[in-house]
Amino acid sequence: MELQGKIIHALPPREGESARGKWKVQEFVLETFDNFPRKMVFSVFGEDRLQRFNIEVGQDVLVSFDIDAHEYNGRWFNSIRAYDVRPFSANMQASAAAAQPFPPAPEAPAPQQAPATIDGVSITPPAPQEGDSQEDLPF
């Protein structure tokens, strides 16, 4: 999944050591550009990714992430882990929208009604008469 927004907060990085070796993770808060902005906390795992992404507060970014959930002591928690973070600007957004306009909506074919049958005998409804209304509701 992808989400565009501005980095509004960077939490302090956490480090530790596991059976696989040393690890480092840092969480960031992203605010979307929507009319009603939403916030999302995502994490970047690995010192190499943190250095490569070089995320700074106030930066406009495009975040590619995976969502996963895990259970701990009978409670469930979401995990949003970024696998790619790229700088993003409003100019890029406008040019991307201009380069890829929405395709026209396909026209729906007119519904065709199969003739009704009762005990194998085909029944066709009468053709509408002049002055008949499509709606025969009393209200």
Side-chain angles (χ1 to χ4, degrees), residues 61-128:
V61 294
L62 174 66
V63 179
S64 301
F65 58 92
D66 288 323
I67 300 175
D68 194 20
H70 62 277
E71 183 263 338
Y72 179 73
N73 288 340
R75 294 190 62 192
W76 284 88
F77 301 89
N78 287 323
S79 171
I80 301 175
R81 187 172 287 182
Y83 58 86
D84 191 22
V85 179
R86 288 176 268 148
F88 185 82
S89 69
N91 295 342
M92 292 170 74
Q93 183 178 14
S95 65
Q100 297 179 356
F102 293 106
E107 292 186 28
Q112 296 181 2
Q113 296 179 347
T117 60
I118 297 179
D119 293 329
V121 177
S122 177
I123 301 173
T124 57

Side-chain angles (χ1 to χ4, degrees), residues 18-117:
S18 69
R20 295 183 182 176
K22 292 186 177 185
W23 56 267
K24 186 174 185 178
V25 66
Q26 187 171 6
E27 295 179 322
F28 300 90
V29 180
L30 176 120
E31 184 175 61
T32 64
F33 299 127
D34 299 332
N35 288 340
F36 300 101
R38 294 175 280 165
K39 294 178 179 76
M40 174 183 78
V41 175
F42 67 92
S43 61
V44 176
F45 191 84
E47 189 167 359
D48 59 332
R49 285 188 178 165
L50 285 167
Q51 289 176 357
R52 185 170 19 126
F53 298 158
N54 193 26
I55 303 169
E56 298 177 9
V57 174
Q59 185 179 22
D60 293 343
V61 294
L62 174 66
V63 179
S64 301
F65 58 92
D66 288 323
I67 300 175
D68 194 20
H70 62 277
E71 183 263 338
Y72 179 73
N73 288 340
R75 294 190 62 192
W76 284 88
F77 301 89
N78 287 323
S79 171
I80 301 175
R81 187 172 287 182
Y83 58 86
D84 191 22
V85 179
R86 288 176 268 148
F88 185 82
S89 69
N91 295 342
M92 292 170 74
Q93 183 178 14
S95 65
Q100 297 179 356
F102 293 106
E107 292 186 28
Q112 296 181 2
Q113 296 179 347
T117 60

